[in-house]
Amino acid sequence: MLVWERPEPPERPVPAPLSRERIVRAAIELADADGLEAVSLRKVAAALEVGPMRLYGYIATKDELLDLMLDAVYAEIRPAGDGWREVLRSLAETTRQAVLRHEWLADLIGGRPQLGPHALARGEAVLSALDGVDVDLAMPLVTAVDSYVIGAVRREIAERRAERATGMDEKRWQAALGPYLQRQLDTGELPALATVVRDAVHLDADQTFRLGLDLLLDGIEARLRK
């Protein structure tokens, strides 16, 4: 029986009452602070000031805990709007914001089954907004948006982590590697790249994400008009 369907143990009059919700909330707090490597049933039990064996009545394995953590964050992703375009944009934006709040989500999203109640509710909300779209196109459209978001946020989180690990933000990176890049561009062998570096508008992370999303949604709109 999957964890979603398995009943919790009956409540007991003990000094530290437990529930899956409390366990998952404690695990998320650990992951938010120190990443997924900080999450184990032993560490969660310590945070809750209970013995590790008490957790096994609620959660059988760490994989189940990760599934529950992932689904708990899906509760924060509630697409809204009128029409498919607004809802898909909301889906993308709310997913990105959830990942930025919970960096560890970038390591799980897209790679684990999304069958928890909050994930299913998210899927229902999105597909309901696609009512009228060819049924064979509905899931590919959602998958296209999800794939764009997952790729974008994983890159964004990777850059955050690299900055923390090296102490080099974008300006320091440019100062350190700019002279090398300029020497390569001065060879004249990279004219297209030189034009972009010299003349293109350099967007921040928010602008880059939204422009890429606009391009994707424009392509979807063109396809739906056929």
Side-chain angles (χ1 to χ4, degrees), residues 22-57:
R22 287 195 67 207
I23 293 168
V24 171
R25 186 164 60 245
I28 289 175
E29 289 175 359
L30 289 173
D32 286 348
D34 297 306
L36 285 179
E37 60 273 15
V39 177
S40 68
L41 293 179
R42 178 181 60 80
K43 292 177 180 177
V44 172
L48 292 170
E49 299 181 339
V50 300
M53 294 306 298
R54 283 197 59 197
L55 269 60
Y56 285 102

PDB file of all heavy atoms in Angstrom, residues 22-57:
ATOM      1  N   ARG A  22       3.706  16.484  10.808  1.00  0.00           N
ATOM      2  CA  ARG A  22       4.788  17.023  11.636  1.00  0.00           C
ATOM      3  C   ARG A  22       6.146  16.505  11.167  1.00  0.00           C
ATOM      4  O   ARG A  22       7.130  17.242  11.133  1.00  0.00           O
ATOM      5  CB  ARG A  22       4.575  16.639  13.102  1.00  0.00           C
ATOM      6  CG  ARG A  22       3.466  17.389  13.802  1.00  0.00           C
ATOM      7  CD  ARG A  22       3.579  17.202  15.309  1.00  0.00           C
ATOM      8  NE  ARG A  22       4.796  17.870  15.789  1.00  0.00           N
ATOM      9  CZ  ARG A  22       5.457  17.499  16.881  1.00  0.00           C
ATOM     10  NH1 ARG A  22       5.058  16.455  17.578  1.00  0.00           N
ATOM     11  NH2 ARG A  22       6.533  18.154  17.255  1.00  0.00           N
ATOM     12  N   ILE A  23       6.202  15.234  10.822  1.00  0.00           N
ATOM     13  CA  ILE A  23       7.455  14.634  10.359  1.00  0.00           C
ATOM     14  C   ILE A  23       7.915  15.308   9.076  1.00  0.00           C
ATOM     15  O   ILE A  23       9.088  15.685   8.920  1.00  0.00           O
ATOM     16  CB  ILE A  23       7.280  13.119  10.152  1.00  0.00           C
ATOM     17  CG1 ILE A  23       7.041  12.428  11.504  1.00  0.00           C
ATOM     18  CG2 ILE A  23       8.492  12.523   9.458  1.00  0.00           C
ATOM     19  CD1 ILE A  23       6.576  10.984  11.381  1.00  0.00           C
ATOM     20  N   VAL A  24       7.003  15.482   8.136  1.00  0.00           N
ATOM     21  CA  VAL A  24       7.354  16.088   6.845  1.00  0.00           C
ATOM     22  C   VAL A  24       7.750  17.545   7.030  1.00  0.00           C
ATOM     23  O   VAL A  24       8.716  18.023   6.411  1.00  0.00           O
ATOM     24  CB  VAL A  24       6.173  15.949   5.857  1.00  0.00           C
ATOM     25  CG1 VAL A  24       6.435  16.766   4.596  1.00  0.00           C
ATOM     26  CG2 VAL A  24       5.950  14.484   5.516  1.00  0.00           C
ATOM     27  N   ARG A  25       7.050  18.264   7.876  1.00  0.00           N
ATOM     28  CA  ARG A  25       7.388  19.662   8.114  1.00  0.00           C
ATOM     29  C   ARG A  25       8.791  19.790   8.703  1.00  0.00           C
ATOM     30  O   ARG A  25       9.574  20.665   8.301  1.00  0.00           O
ATOM     31  CB  ARG A  25       6.352  20.299   9.047  1.00  0.00           C
ATOM     32  CG  ARG A  25       6.548  21.808   9.227  1.00  0.00           C
ATOM     33  CD  ARG A  25       5.316  22.462   9.814  1.00  0.00           C
ATOM     34  NE  ARG A  25       4.986  21.923  11.111  1.00  0.00           N
ATOM     35  CZ  ARG A  25       3.869  21.229  11.381  1.00  0.00           C
ATOM     36  NH1 ARG A  25       2.995  21.002  10.426  1.00  0.00           N
ATOM     37  NH2 ARG A  25       3.638  20.770  12.601  1.00  0.00           N
ATOM     38  N   ALA A  26       9.138  18.900   9.624  1.00  0.00           N
ATOM     39  CA  ALA A  26      10.486  18.925  10.210  1.00  0.00           C
ATOM     40  C   ALA A  26      11.534  18.598   9.151  1.00  0.00           C
ATOM     41  O   ALA A  26      12.611  19.213   9.115  1.00  0.00           O
ATOM     42  CB  ALA A  26      10.574  17.923  11.362  1.00  0.00           C
ATOM     43  N   ALA A  27      11.239  17.641   8.289  1.00  0.00           N
ATOM     44  CA  ALA A  27      12.186  17.270   7.234  1.00  0.00           C
ATOM     45  C   ALA A  27      12.401  18.426   6.267  1.00  0.00           C
ATOM     46  O   ALA A  27      13.533  18.696   5.834  1.00  0.00           O
ATOM     47  CB  ALA A  27      11.682  16.038   6.488  1.00  0.00           C
ATOM     48  N   ILE A  28      11.337  19.132   5.921  1.00  0.00           N
ATOM     49  CA  ILE A  28      11.454  20.267   5.014  1.00  0.00           C
ATOM     50  C   ILE A  28      12.287  21.379   5.646  1.00  0.00           C
ATOM     51  O   ILE A  28      13.111  22.009   4.972  1.00  0.00           O
ATOM     52  CB  ILE A  28      10.050  20.774   4.604  1.00  0.00           C
ATOM     53  CG1 ILE A  28       9.393  19.764   3.662  1.00  0.00           C
ATOM     54  CG2 ILE A  28      10.131  22.155   3.947  1.00  0.00           C
ATOM     55  CD1 ILE A  28       7.958  20.102   3.299  1.00  0.00           C
ATOM     56  N   GLU A  29      12.094  21.611   6.929  1.00  0.00           N
ATOM     57  CA  GLU A  29      12.898  22.633   7.606  1.00  0.00           C
ATOM     58  C   GLU A  29      14.383  22.281   7.579  1.00  0.00           C
ATOM     59  O   GLU A  29      15.237  23.152   7.363  1.00  0.00           O
ATOM     60  CB  GLU A  29      12.405  22.799   9.038  1.00  0.00           C
ATOM     61  CG  GLU A  29      11.043  23.481   9.143  1.00  0.00           C
ATOM     62  CD  GLU A  29      10.519  23.524  10.571  1.00  0.00           C
ATOM     63  OE1 GLU A  29      11.213  22.995  11.469  1.00  0.00           O
ATOM     64  OE2 GLU A  29       9.417  24.080  10.782  1.00  0.00           O
ATOM     65  N   LEU A  30      14.701  21.007   7.768  1.00  0.00           N
ATOM     66  CA  LEU A  30      16.101  20.573   7.684  1.00  0.00           C
ATOM     67  C   LEU A  30      16.642  20.774   6.275  1.00  0.00           C
ATOM     68  O   LEU A  30      17.764  21.260   6.085  1.00  0.00           O
ATOM     69  CB  LEU A  30      16.221  19.103   8.090  1.00  0.00           C
ATOM     70  CG  LEU A  30      16.020  18.770   9.569  1.00  0.00           C
ATOM     71  CD1 LEU A  30      15.997  17.256   9.759  1.00  0.00           C
ATOM     72  CD2 LEU A  30      17.120  19.390  10.420  1.00  0.00           C
ATOM     73  N   ALA A  31      15.855  20.380   5.272  1.00  0.00           N
ATOM     74  CA  ALA A  31      16.305  20.499   3.886  1.00  0.00           C
ATOM     75  C   ALA A  31      16.443  21.952   3.463  1.00  0.00           C
ATOM     76  O   ALA A  31      17.381  22.313   2.741  1.00  0.00           O
ATOM     77  CB  ALA A  31      15.336  19.769   2.958  1.00  0.00           C
ATOM     78  N   ASP A  32      15.522  22.810   3.903  1.00  0.00           N
ATOM     79  CA  ASP A  32      15.611  24.237   3.577  1.00  0.00           C
ATOM     80  C   ASP A  32      16.888  24.844   4.144  1.00  0.00           C
ATOM     81  O   ASP A  32      17.502  25.730   3.533  1.00  0.00           O
ATOM     82  CB  ASP A  32      14.399  24.996   4.125  1.00  0.00           C
ATOM     83  CG  ASP A  32      13.126  24.749   3.323  1.00  0.00           C
ATOM     84  OD1 ASP A  32      13.216  24.186   2.220  1.00  0.00           O
ATOM     85  OD2 ASP A  32      12.046  25.115   3.815  1.00  0.00           O
ATOM     86  N   ALA A  33      17.281  24.382   5.316  1.00  0.00           N
ATOM     87  CA  ALA A  33      18.455  24.951   5.982  1.00  0.00           C
ATOM     88  C   ALA A  33      19.761  24.410   5.412  1.00  0.00           C
ATOM     89  O   ALA A  33      20.709  25.176   5.189  1.00  0.00           O
ATOM     90  CB  ALA A  33      18.391  24.672   7.483  1.00  0.00           C
ATOM     91  N   ASP A  34      19.813  23.100   5.142  1.00  0.00           N
ATOM     92  CA  ASP A  34      21.105  22.480   4.814  1.00  0.00           C
ATOM     93  C   ASP A  34      21.066  21.506   3.648  1.00  0.00           C
ATOM     94  O   ASP A  34      22.023  20.746   3.458  1.00  0.00           O
ATOM     95  CB  ASP A  34      21.663  21.764   6.055  1.00  0.00           C
ATOM     96  CG  ASP A  34      21.938  22.737   7.192  1.00  0.00           C
ATOM     97  OD1 ASP A  34      22.670  23.719   6.966  1.00  0.00           O
ATOM     98  OD2 ASP A  34      21.400  22.530   8.295  1.00  0.00           O
ATOM     99  N   GLY A  35      19.989  21.487   2.869  1.00  0.00           N
ATOM    100  CA  GLY A  35      19.929  20.604   1.713  1.00  0.00           C
ATOM    101  C   GLY A  35      19.462  19.199   2.059  1.00  0.00           C
ATOM    102  O   GLY A  35      19.320  18.838   3.231  1.00  0.00           O
ATOM    103  N   LEU A  36      19.248  18.393   1.021  1.00  0.00           N
ATOM    104  CA  LEU A  36      18.727  17.048   1.219  1.00  0.00           C
ATOM    105  C   LEU A  36      19.678  16.158   1.999  1.00  0.00           C
ATOM    106  O   LEU A  36      19.246  15.196   2.645  1.00  0.00           O
ATOM    107  CB  LEU A  36      18.422  16.402  -0.142  1.00  0.00           C
ATOM    108  CG  LEU A  36      17.167  16.895  -0.865  1.00  0.00           C
ATOM    109  CD1 LEU A  36      17.031  16.180  -2.192  1.00  0.00           C
ATOM    110  CD2 LEU A  36      15.925  16.691  -0.011  1.00  0.00           C
ATOM    111  N   GLU A  37      20.984  16.457   1.927  1.00  0.00           N
ATOM    112  CA  GLU A  37      21.939  15.645   2.671  1.00  0.00           C
ATOM    113  C   GLU A  37      21.718  15.755   4.179  1.00  0.00           C
ATOM    114  O   GLU A  37      22.209  14.922   4.955  1.00  0.00           O
ATOM    115  CB  GLU A  37      23.373  16.033   2.323  1.00  0.00           C
ATOM    116  CG  GLU A  37      23.739  17.467   2.610  1.00  0.00           C
ATOM    117  CD  GLU A  37      23.417  18.421   1.466  1.00  0.00           C
ATOM    118  OE1 GLU A  37      22.646  18.026   0.566  1.00  0.00           O
ATOM    119  OE2 GLU A  37      23.950  19.545   1.473  1.00  0.00           O
ATOM    120  N   ALA A  38      20.988  16.768   4.612  1.00  0.00           N
ATOM    121  CA  ALA A  38      20.707  16.942   6.043  1.00  0.00           C
ATOM    122  C   ALA A  38      19.481  16.158   6.478  1.00  0.00           C
ATOM    123  O   ALA A  38      19.120  16.184   7.650  1.00  0.00           O
ATOM    124  CB  ALA A  38      20.511  18.420   6.365  1.00  0.00           C
ATOM    125  N   VAL A  39      18.823  15.483   5.539  1.00  0.00           N
ATOM    126  CA  VAL A  39      17.573  14.794   5.845  1.00  0.00           C
ATOM    127  C   VAL A  39      17.807  13.289   5.963  1.00  0.00           C
ATOM    128  O   VAL A  39      18.307  12.649   5.039  1.00  0.00           O
ATOM    129  CB  VAL A  39      16.511  15.062   4.758  1.00  0.00           C
ATOM    130  CG1 VAL A  39      15.238  14.271   5.043  1.00  0.00           C
ATOM    131  CG2 VAL A  39      16.197  16.545   4.674  1.00  0.00           C
ATOM    132  N   SER A  40      17.479  12.756   7.094  1.00  0.00           N
ATOM    133  CA  SER A  40      17.429  11.312   7.323  1.00  0.00           C
ATOM    134  C   SER A  40      16.387  11.080   8.393  1.00  0.00           C
ATOM    135  O   SER A  40      16.011  12.006   9.133  1.00  0.00           O
ATOM    136  CB  SER A  40      18.788  10.767   7.773  1.00  0.00           C
ATOM    137  OG  SER A  40      19.106  11.239   9.072  1.00  0.00           O
ATOM    138  N   LEU A  41      15.906   9.858   8.499  1.00  0.00           N
ATOM    139  CA  LEU A  41      14.910   9.582   9.526  1.00  0.00           C
ATOM    140  C   LEU A  41      15.500   9.829  10.918  1.00  0.00           C
ATOM    141  O   LEU A  41      14.802  10.320  11.822  1.00  0.00           O
ATOM    142  CB  LEU A  41      14.412   8.144   9.386  1.00  0.00           C
ATOM    143  CG  LEU A  41      13.598   7.850   8.112  1.00  0.00           C
ATOM    144  CD1 LEU A  41      13.181   6.390   8.079  1.00  0.00           C
ATOM    145  CD2 LEU A  41      12.376   8.746   8.011  1.00  0.00           C
ATOM    146  N   ARG A  42      16.787   9.528  11.090  1.00  0.00           N
ATOM    147  CA  ARG A  42      17.425   9.759  12.387  1.00  0.00           C
ATOM    148  C   ARG A  42      17.470  11.255  12.705  1.00  0.00           C
ATOM    149  O   ARG A  42      17.150  11.672  13.828  1.00  0.00           O
ATOM    150  CB  ARG A  42      18.838   9.176  12.379  1.00  0.00           C
ATOM    151  CG  ARG A  42      19.611   9.397  13.684  1.00  0.00           C
ATOM    152  CD  ARG A  42      21.000   8.820  13.585  1.00  0.00           C
ATOM    153  NE  ARG A  42      21.758   9.433  12.509  1.00  0.00           N
ATOM    154  CZ  ARG A  42      22.368  10.609  12.593  1.00  0.00           C
ATOM    155  NH1 ARG A  42      22.286  11.330  13.706  1.00  0.00           N
ATOM    156  NH2 ARG A  42      23.054  11.087  11.573  1.00  0.00           N
ATOM    157  N   LYS A  43      17.855  12.090  11.728  1.00  0.00           N
ATOM    158  CA  LYS A  43      17.949  13.526  11.970  1.00  0.00           C
ATOM    159  C   LYS A  43      16.579  14.156  12.167  1.00  0.00           C
ATOM    160  O   LYS A  43      16.421  15.076  12.978  1.00  0.00           O
ATOM    161  CB  LYS A  43      18.696  14.189  10.811  1.00  0.00           C
ATOM    162  CG  LYS A  43      20.169  13.814  10.740  1.00  0.00           C
ATOM    163  CD  LYS A  43      20.835  14.440   9.532  1.00  0.00           C
ATOM    164  CE  LYS A  43      22.307  14.052   9.460  1.00  0.00           C
ATOM    165  NZ  LYS A  43      22.973  14.601   8.254  1.00  0.00           N
ATOM    166  N   VAL A  44      15.598  13.660  11.437  1.00  0.00           N
ATOM    167  CA  VAL A  44      14.239  14.174  11.620  1.00  0.00           C
ATOM    168  C   VAL A  44      13.740  13.811  13.015  1.00  0.00           C
ATOM    169  O   VAL A  44      13.126  14.642  13.713  1.00  0.00           O
ATOM    170  CB  VAL A  44      13.295  13.633  10.537  1.00  0.00           C
ATOM    171  CG1 VAL A  44      11.849  14.017  10.843  1.00  0.00           C
ATOM    172  CG2 VAL A  44      13.698  14.174   9.161  1.00  0.00           C
ATOM    173  N   ALA A  45      13.997  12.593  13.438  1.00  0.00           N
ATOM    174  CA  ALA A  45      13.588  12.172  14.782  1.00  0.00           C
ATOM    175  C   ALA A  45      14.245  13.048  15.844  1.00  0.00           C
ATOM    176  O   ALA A  45      13.599  13.460  16.818  1.00  0.00           O
ATOM    177  CB  ALA A  45      13.944  10.700  15.001  1.00  0.00           C
ATOM    178  N   ALA A  46      15.521  13.349  15.654  1.00  0.00           N
ATOM    179  CA  ALA A  46      16.225  14.200  16.618  1.00  0.00           C
ATOM    180  C   ALA A  46      15.601  15.589  16.662  1.00  0.00           C
ATOM    181  O   ALA A  46      15.448  16.182  17.744  1.00  0.00           O
ATOM    182  CB  ALA A  46      17.706  14.283  16.249  1.00  0.00           C
ATOM    183  N   ALA A  47      15.241  16.124  15.496  1.00  0.00           N
ATOM    184  CA  ALA A  47      14.617  17.446  15.451  1.00  0.00           C
ATOM    185  C   ALA A  47      13.280  17.453  16.174  1.00  0.00           C
ATOM    186  O   ALA A  47      12.879  18.476  16.753  1.00  0.00           O
ATOM    187  CB  ALA A  47      14.442  17.893  14.003  1.00  0.00           C
ATOM    188  N   LEU A  48      12.591  16.319  16.147  1.00  0.00           N
ATOM    189  CA  LEU A  48      11.287  16.212  16.799  1.00  0.00           C
ATOM    190  C   LEU A  48      11.404  15.722  18.244  1.00  0.00           C
ATOM    191  O   LEU A  48      10.390  15.592  18.938  1.00  0.00           O
ATOM    192  CB  LEU A  48      10.385  15.256  16.009  1.00  0.00           C
ATOM    193  CG  LEU A  48       9.945  15.749  14.628  1.00  0.00           C
ATOM    194  CD1 LEU A  48       9.281  14.630  13.846  1.00  0.00           C
ATOM    195  CD2 LEU A  48       9.010  16.940  14.745  1.00  0.00           C
ATOM    196  N   GLU A  49      12.643  15.420  18.645  1.00  0.00           N
ATOM    197  CA  GLU A  49      12.921  14.950  20.010  1.00  0.00           C
ATOM    198  C   GLU A  49      12.174  13.662  20.326  1.00  0.00           C
ATOM    199  O   GLU A  49      11.552  13.509  21.392  1.00  0.00           O
ATOM    200  CB  GLU A  49      12.596  16.044  21.035  1.00  0.00           C
ATOM    201  CG  GLU A  49      13.424  17.308  20.837  1.00  0.00           C
ATOM    202  CD  GLU A  49      13.125  18.385  21.875  1.00  0.00           C
ATOM    203  OE1 GLU A  49      12.039  18.353  22.487  1.00  0.00           O
ATOM    204  OE2 GLU A  49      14.004  19.240  22.081  1.00  0.00           O
ATOM    205  N   VAL A  50      12.239  12.732  19.374  1.00  0.00           N
ATOM    206  CA  VAL A  50      11.671  11.399  19.576  1.00  0.00           C
ATOM    207  C   VAL A  50      12.699  10.372  19.110  1.00  0.00           C
ATOM    208  O   VAL A  50      13.664  10.708  18.425  1.00  0.00           O
ATOM    209  CB  VAL A  50      10.350  11.202  18.798  1.00  0.00           C
ATOM    210  CG1 VAL A  50       9.302  12.206  19.246  1.00  0.00           C
ATOM    211  CG2 VAL A  50      10.584  11.292  17.298  1.00  0.00           C
ATOM    212  N   GLY A  51      12.477   9.122  19.468  1.00  0.00           N
ATOM    213  CA  GLY A  51      13.359   8.063  18.999  1.00  0.00           C
ATOM    214  C   GLY A  51      13.093   7.744  17.539  1.00  0.00           C
ATOM    215  O   GLY A  51      11.944   7.812  17.084  1.00  0.00           O
ATOM    216  N   PRO A  52      14.131   7.402  16.774  1.00  0.00           N
ATOM    217  CA  PRO A  52      13.951   7.105  15.344  1.00  0.00           C
ATOM    218  C   PRO A  52      12.921   6.024  15.074  1.00  0.00           C
ATOM    219  O   PRO A  52      12.190   6.092  14.071  1.00  0.00           O
ATOM    220  CB  PRO A  52      15.344   6.656  14.889  1.00  0.00           C
ATOM    221  CG  PRO A  52      16.281   7.273  15.874  1.00  0.00           C
ATOM    222  CD  PRO A  52      15.545   7.298  17.182  1.00  0.00           C
ATOM    223  N   MET A  53      12.816   5.019  15.947  1.00  0.00           N
ATOM    224  CA  MET A  53      11.885   3.924  15.693  1.00  0.00           C
ATOM    225  C   MET A  53      10.437   4.388  15.675  1.00  0.00           C
ATOM    226  O   MET A  53       9.592   3.759  15.027  1.00  0.00           O
ATOM    227  CB  MET A  53      12.079   2.828  16.748  1.00  0.00           C
ATOM    228  CG  MET A  53      13.435   2.126  16.671  1.00  0.00           C
ATOM    229  SD  MET A  53      13.790   1.472  15.017  1.00  0.00           S
ATOM    230  CE  MET A  53      12.472   0.285  14.820  1.00  0.00           C
ATOM    231  N   ARG A  54      10.136   5.486  16.369  1.00  0.00           N
ATOM    232  CA  ARG A  54       8.751   5.968  16.361  1.00  0.00           C
ATOM    233  C   ARG A  54       8.324   6.428  14.974  1.00  0.00           C
ATOM    234  O   ARG A  54       7.147   6.371  14.622  1.00  0.00           O
ATOM    235  CB  ARG A  54       8.571   7.109  17.356  1.00  0.00           C
ATOM    236  CG  ARG A  54       8.478   6.635  18.809  1.00  0.00           C
ATOM    237  CD  ARG A  54       7.896   7.710  19.692  1.00  0.00           C
ATOM    238  NE  ARG A  54       6.561   8.112  19.268  1.00  0.00           N
ATOM    239  CZ  ARG A  54       5.974   9.233  19.662  1.00  0.00           C
ATOM    240  NH1 ARG A  54       6.609  10.069  20.470  1.00  0.00           N
ATOM    241  NH2 ARG A  54       4.760   9.524  19.255  1.00  0.00           N
ATOM    242  N   LEU A  55       9.295   6.893  14.166  1.00  0.00           N
ATOM    243  CA  LEU A  55       8.953   7.390  12.834  1.00  0.00           C
ATOM    244  C   LEU A  55       8.511   6.276  11.906  1.00  0.00           C
ATOM    245  O   LEU A  55       7.733   6.510  10.972  1.00  0.00           O
ATOM    246  CB  LEU A  55      10.143   8.130  12.217  1.00  0.00           C
ATOM    247  CG  LEU A  55      10.207   9.643  12.476  1.00  0.00           C
ATOM    248  CD1 LEU A  55      10.279   9.943  13.959  1.00  0.00           C
ATOM    249  CD2 LEU A  55      11.394  10.254  11.751  1.00  0.00           C
ATOM    250  N   TYR A  56       8.987   5.048  12.160  1.00  0.00           N
ATOM    251  CA  TYR A  56       8.693   3.973  11.220  1.00  0.00           C
ATOM    252  C   TYR A  56       7.233   3.546  11.242  1.00  0.00           C
ATOM    253  O   TYR A  56       6.784   2.857  10.329  1.00  0.00           O
ATOM    254  CB  TYR A  56       9.610   2.774  11.504  1.00  0.00           C
ATOM    255  CG  TYR A  56      11.021   3.018  11.033  1.00  0.00           C
ATOM    256  CD1 TYR A  56      12.020   3.355  11.929  1.00  0.00           C
ATOM    257  CD2 TYR A  56      11.341   2.946   9.681  1.00  0.00           C
ATOM    258  CE1 TYR A  56      13.322   3.602  11.497  1.00  0.00           C
ATOM    259  CE2 TYR A  56      12.633   3.186   9.239  1.00  0.00           C
ATOM    260  CZ  TYR A  56      13.614   3.514  10.151  1.00  0.00           C
ATOM    261  OH  TYR A  56      14.892   3.769   9.712  1.00  0.00           O
ATOM    262  N   GLY A  57       6.490   3.946  12.262  1.00  0.00           N
ATOM    263  CA  GLY A  57       5.064   3.691  12.209  1.00  0.00           C
ATOM    264  C   GLY A  57       4.336   4.575  11.213  1.00  0.00           C
ATOM    265  O   GLY A  57       3.227   4.265  10.788  1.00  0.00           O
TER     266      GLY A  57
END
